[in-house]
């Protein structure tokens, strides 16, 4: 257990918690199931927000803010919705020193409060589409919690759109799934499989839920984002209609889609190693740290002067810090920045100064390289790109190595016992079989592929016909 | 009542609500006292956040996130704090279908939950200072609410810092007051007076509260931001100590400071007019709108082609939109953008095209100017700067015209009846007199100046000695 971090091979779950603690990313709070996101963790969330928000705006969305409280009667207007969410809500019963006439639910998701407002905003086809996103905190009373992955309160974004036609709503749902896929792969360097949830796993109140699923380093699946086609369910529950160009009143079509601070957990579990956090350069709040090495004030002054000269060229190209703290030794600093997941560490001592070089250490591979101080900026930029790509390639390679195709239930159960991972199997399409699978193996159907290869076969459990394979795994 | 907006001179309060409705900035929600911030309003909040966040980071602060729930026992640890806040809290009594052992308060402010964490994070002088800010929603159960100005839930930022010495904490408190003053004046174009709150008006749990006060167009004061020196009150309540360099354990010193979506209300009431919203260019999500004027498809194509040629030079210099919607007439568009407060409107029709000119209309003055299409970009940029300056100058001028110095209580009461505004008066420094003033006139002491001119006089109410004047006004 080097540097206070348990090895993955010893105890994966403990390793995860240790990485978070070592990087000071988050802490449990004194409030049951709620976490504190510390500055190192929050800075990654800010980078995620910036990346996603840009993509949302490029696809025509605007931000707004709706109340965090939802009247109980609103929750009850959509039957499946209340059944799914009410049991896990926090409920405000008193306000301003008095018992409330109607209890307020702290939002677990905002479909109901938002559609109660859309009713006022939508009259004509000219008011459509509405393309709104909200950045907010939400609360779901979880029994078993885990930093970032499952907490009673978490931060997220929730898009809520309103459309004139079913086709537009479906196109929006698919577009946002694609935005999430792009973000996961290009920013988080985390390969994902897009697909459709089963009836049993879909969002409470949706017609159809799309998702992206990623594989963590222990072979388990993690649902990283969902995009729901809500059909006319919420428009009907809140009686939201619009007048078509032809003058007819019709119910509005809806979507909602979201990702949360859970992505930070996914990021950690995809890339980090036994030395601590690893952050892909595109989401690293600090991309490069230069640790100067000196003895005595003269050397200190010389090294820092050169460091600042070199760094003058870095502004606007990548984020950096010169760690000139006097009260810590270089070795301590190396360790700290390693645990914090900074992609590139540069070291420069008196000999390096004399030789006109710096030492570069990559966080992803641990490789050391001695670089000329000439063209250093370009070399750092290129290495940041290389790290981003390498992290993605490694994660994809890992997923491929741990993805299996099996045909019998016995083989499935036996392999699952020994090898966690993704399993492509045949399923008869019934909720009954799905629930039996889960009860007997703790694995779940993660998704039905978006465009499944037609491959008729037999359900591995019941032997009934199956048109194509589905993805099964144990999941977070 | 032109365009659905009541005149300020007729009904100021109704005018305010009408401006918000006409610009689609916010709506009351079905949840008592809670508002919905619509995209136009939220986009201004995003600009405010960006400006403030940059200034916070430049002064060394980082962001983090703490739970929205606070255990009742935590609220009660600081005696003044609980007395001030408990009566206006929303209280969660049930979670996950069960009654909670201990009720949770939805945060009205986060000192207590944050200092319970700082206790774990602070051991040595090397752990200090902690300079953390949080962007969050908070809830205070208000009896009388008003969009943006006073709502049960609102959005804000709250800084919470921890320091080794009283001097550092005081310097931080004053620094953040100065950040707020700069933001109010340079971004919001809203002149403010910085000062110190009376004992009676200070934050519940603070040693000393600094504030900035602005004058609205009806002459009333609005508190636009506060910065609190909390002394060792919260460190003592949560037993947060650190080991000094000399090896002694001492309690930590604290500050907190915040501004909220209330600033959007202040912005509206400072600059808007009888035609609707006016937004200073630095906070305008959309700074320039070009409305093309055409008859028939040929003209449409020609005008839009030129508009796009002109706009090619605007990217990165200011935000703009070419309003090429077919289903609205130019006059309707002019009106809409005027109500939305866009600083500059450009109009371009076939004659303008032939003459190589565009018509520019300033939102602040309504002035029309015919501009050559040559050097148009520079002219627009310069006009945006001029509008920003003009709005500030006008607001300052208005404040000066409505600021009075009076010496007797009779004169004060008589003038206050007829002229709302700021009054510099002598006060004997007692809470008793302060409360009498408020009960009898509904005016309050807004602040004691930061560096008061020594001007010995007599309290206008009791005749007792007063070392200098204080600022009195009716307030939001």
């Amino acid at each position: 257990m080097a540097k206070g971090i348990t090895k993955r091979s010893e105890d994966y779950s403990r390793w995860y918690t240790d990485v978070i603690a070592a990087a000071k990313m988050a802490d449990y709070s004194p409030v049951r199931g709620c976490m504190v996101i510390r500055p190192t963790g929050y800075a990654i969330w800010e980078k995620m927000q910036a990346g996603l928000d840009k993509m949302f705006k490029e696809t025509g969305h605007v931000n707004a803010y709706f109340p965090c409280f939802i009247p109980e009667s609103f929750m009850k207007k959509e039957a499946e919705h209340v059944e799914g969410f009410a049991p896990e809500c926090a409920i405000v019963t008193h306000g301003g020193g008095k018992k409330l006439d109607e209890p307020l639910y702290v939002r677990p998701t905002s479909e109901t409060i938002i559609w109660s407002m859309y009713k006022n905003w939508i009259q004509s086809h000219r008011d459509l589409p509405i393309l709104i996103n909200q950045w907010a905190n939400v609360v779901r009373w979880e029994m078993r919690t885990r930093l970032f992955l499952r907490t009673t309160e978490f931060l997220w974004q929730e898009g809520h759109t309103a459309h004139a036609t079913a086709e537009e709503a479906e196109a929006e749902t698919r577009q946002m799934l694609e935005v999430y896929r792009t973000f996961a792969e290009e920013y988080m360097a985390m390969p994902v499989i897009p697909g459709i949830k089963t009836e049993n796993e879909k969002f409470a109140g949706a017609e159809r839920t799309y998702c992206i699923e990623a594989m963590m380093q222990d072979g388990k699946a993690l649902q990283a984002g969902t995009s729901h086609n809500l059909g006319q369910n919420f428009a009907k529950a809140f009686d939201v209609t619009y007048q078509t160009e032809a003058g007819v009143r019709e119910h509005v079509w809806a979507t909602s889609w979201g990702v949360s601070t859970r992505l930070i957990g996914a990021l950690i579990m995809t890339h980090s190693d036994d030395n601590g956090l690893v952050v892909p350069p595109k989401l690293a709040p600090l991309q490069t740290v230069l640790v100067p090495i000196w003895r005595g004030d003269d050397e200190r002054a010389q090294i820092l002067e050169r460091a600042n000269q070199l760094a003058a060229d870095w502004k606007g190209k990548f984020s950096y810090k010169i760690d000139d703290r006097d009260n810590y030794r270089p070795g301590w600093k190396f360790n700290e920045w390693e645990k914090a997941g900074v992609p590139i560490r540069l070291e420069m001592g008196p000999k390096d100064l004399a030789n006109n070089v710096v030492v570069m250490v990559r966080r992803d591979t641990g490789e050391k390289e001695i670089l000329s101080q000439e063209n250093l900026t370009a070399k750092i930029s290129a290495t940041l790109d290389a790290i981003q790509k390498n992290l993605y390639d490694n994660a994809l390679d890992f997923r491929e190595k741990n993805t299996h195709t099996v045909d019998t239930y016995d083989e499935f159960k036996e392999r699952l016992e020994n090898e966690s991972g993704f399993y492509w199997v045949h399923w008869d399409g019934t909720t009954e079989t799905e629930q039996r699978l889960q009860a007997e193996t703790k694995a779940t159907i993660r998704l039905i592929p978006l465009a499944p290869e037609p491959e008729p076969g037999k359900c591995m459990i019941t032997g009934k016909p199956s048109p194509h394979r589905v993805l099964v795994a144990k999941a977070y």
Side-chain angles (χ1 to χ4, degrees), chain A:
Chain A
M1 189 170 132
K3 305 162 190 171
I5 297 171
T6 306
K7 284 190 175 144
R8 280 167 290 186
S9 56
E10 278 174 26
D11 183 341
Y12 188 82
S13 166
R14 181 83 182 268
W15 163 81
Y16 176 71
T17 313
D18 287 348
V19 167
I20 291 171
K24 296 186 181 172
M25 297 179 81
D27 249 1
Y28 280 108
S29 81
V31 185
R32 210 191 129 287
C34 289
M35 72 173 163
V36 172
I37 308 179
R38 301 186 69 175
T40 315
Y42 198 85
I44 293 174
W45 181 238
E46 287 181 290
K47 297 284 280 186
M48 287 181 166
Q49 285 187 299
L52 286 163
D53 202 70
K54 185 163 173 281
M55 293 169 86
F56 297 160
K57 285 178 177 157
E58 282 168 358
T59 43
H61 301 86
V62 289
N63 290 325
Y65 188 78
F66 296 83
C68 68
F69 295 134
I70 299 178
E72 187 170 55
S73 55
F74 283 36
M75 286 298 293
K76 291 184 172 165
K77 287 204 176 181
E78 214 287 339
E80 284 184 13
H81 192 68
V82 67
E83 196 185 320
F85 284 105
E88 54 184 52
C89 282
I91 302 175
V92 174
T93 55
H94 291 72
K98 286 184 187 155
K99 189 164 193 294
L100 304 181
D101 292 338
E102 181 180 7
L104 297 173
Y105 286 41
V106 182
R107 66 179 156 223
T109 180
S110 300
E111 277 76 7
T112 56
I113 187 79
I114 288 179
W115 278 84
S116 80
M117 298 306 299
Y118 283 1
K119 179 172 172 57
N120 305 327
W121 300 349
I122 299 168
Q123 274 88 41
S124 140
H125 62 94
R126 301 205 329 180
D127 301 321
L128 295 171
I130 293 181
L131 303 173
I132 282 182
N133 175 60
Q134 165 170 279
W135 291 97
N137 56 336
V138 281
V139 170
R140 296 178 188 175
W141 210 264
E142 298 286 355
M143 284 303 113
R144 298 183 58 189
T145 58
R146 205 159 196 189
L147 292 171
F148 293 116
L149 295 179
R150 195 177 293 279
T151 50
T152 295
E153 183 193 16
F154 55 93
L155 303 182
W156 79 344
Q157 61 69 218
E158 46 182 325
H160 294 274
T161 68
H163 305 268
T165 67
E167 293 69 34
E168 270 185 47
E170 178 64 12
E172 167 79 9
T173 313
R174 293 291 289 263
Q175 172 185 254
M176 299 323 291
L177 184 76
E178 179 60 16
V179 163
Y180 290 155
R181 190 198 61 73
T182 305
F183 179 78
E185 301 198 337
E186 294 185 6
Y187 284 77
M188 296 177 67
M190 180 175 81
V192 292
I193 300 178
I196 304 168
K197 286 286 175 198
T198 63
E199 278 297 302
N200 188 47
E201 296 273 342
K202 74 177 186 189
F203 177 78
E207 289 292 299
R208 200 159 42 257
T209 288
Y210 295 94
C211 64
I212 49 172
E213 297 276 330
M215 183 188 286
M216 303 296 99
Q217 288 183 60
D218 59 351
K220 281 194 188 169
L222 185 141
Q223 174 179 300
T226 47
S227 184
H228 315 294
N229 186 331
L230 305 174
Q232 295 176 311
N233 294 342
F234 286 90
K236 284 180 178 163
F238 287 88
D239 192 26
V240 185
T241 61
Y242 75 101
Q243 185 159 333
T244 65
E245 287 196 62
V248 185
R249 290 213 78 84
E250 286 189 4
H251 280 107
V252 176
W253 300 82
T255 86
S256 68
W257 29 274
V259 297
S260 74
T261 36
R262 172 166 238 230
L263 288 183
I264 301 175
L267 191 80
I268 297 167
M269 286 220 205
T270 301
H271 302 300
S272 299
D273 61 23
D274 290 347
N275 295 321
L277 184 65
V278 174
V279 188
K282 279 199 188 176
L283 293 177
L286 178 61
Q287 295 172 310
T288 297
V289 63
L290 188 154
V291 179
I293 301 162
W294 66 72
R295 267 180 302 185
D297 287 348
D298 285 355
E299 273 185 19
R300 181 182 194 280
Q302 283 169 18
I303 302 257
L304 287 180
E305 190 190 348
R306 178 68 61 87
N308 283 305
Q309 283 167 0
L310 291 171
D313 193 40
W314 301 346
K315 232 173 198 169
K317 289 170 187 133
F318 46 81
S319 57
Y320 65 89
K321 187 187 184 76
I322 298 172
D323 186 352
D324 60 359
R325 287 177 291 175
D326 287 315
N327 48 352
Y328 295 101
R329 288 165 178 279
W332 189 94
K333 293 177 183 175
F334 296 170
N335 185 26
E336 178 169 88
W337 296 118
E338 186 168 50
K339 290 189 297 185
V342 177
I344 291 180
R345 178 176 84 232
L346 302 174
E347 308 168 4
M348 186 168 65
K351 274 189 198 158
D352 304 311
L353 199 64
N355 295 331
N356 219 30
V357 298
V358 299
V359 177
M360 178 177 77
V361 184
R362 277 174 67 149
R363 177 66 187 85
D364 60 335
T365 59
E367 282 167 11
K368 270 197 182 195
E369 197 177 347
I370 294 171
L371 300 179
S372 163
Q373 291 176 14
E374 309 293 320
N375 295 321
L376 184 58
T377 305
K379 179 69 186 178
I380 294 171
S381 293
T383 306
L384 288 170
D385 290 346
I387 293 172
Q388 183 81 27
K389 183 173 185 311
N390 182 52
L391 289 174
Y392 179 85
D393 290 346
N394 280 347
L396 184 60
D397 191 49
F398 180 85
R399 188 183 79 190
E400 286 178 356
K401 284 205 180 97
N402 291 281
T403 298
H404 320 290
T405 301
V406 297
D407 288 313
T408 72
Y409 197 32
D410 282 343
E411 187 192 349
F412 173 77
K413 286 189 284 191
E414 196 191 317
R415 288 191 70 169
L416 188 69
E417 195 107 325
N418 304 310
E419 307 170 59
S420 207
F422 283 2
Y423 289 82
W424 288 105
V425 305
H426 280 292
W427 163 57
D428 64 16
T430 68
T431 300
E432 195 188 343
T433 304
E434 184 179 7
Q435 287 172 339
R436 185 180 150 196
L437 172 74
Q438 180 164 8
E440 292 176 354
T441 67
K442 288 183 180 148
T444 48
I445 301 176
R446 303 312 304 157
L447 57 80
I448 300 157
L450 279 189
E453 302 268 331
E455 185 203 334
K458 285 181 180 170
C459 174
M460 70 169 177
I461 296 177
T462 63
K464 289 184 188 157
S466 151
H468 52 73
R469 294 179 185 272
V470 296
L471 186 67
V472 169
K474 288 188 184 168
Y476 280 97

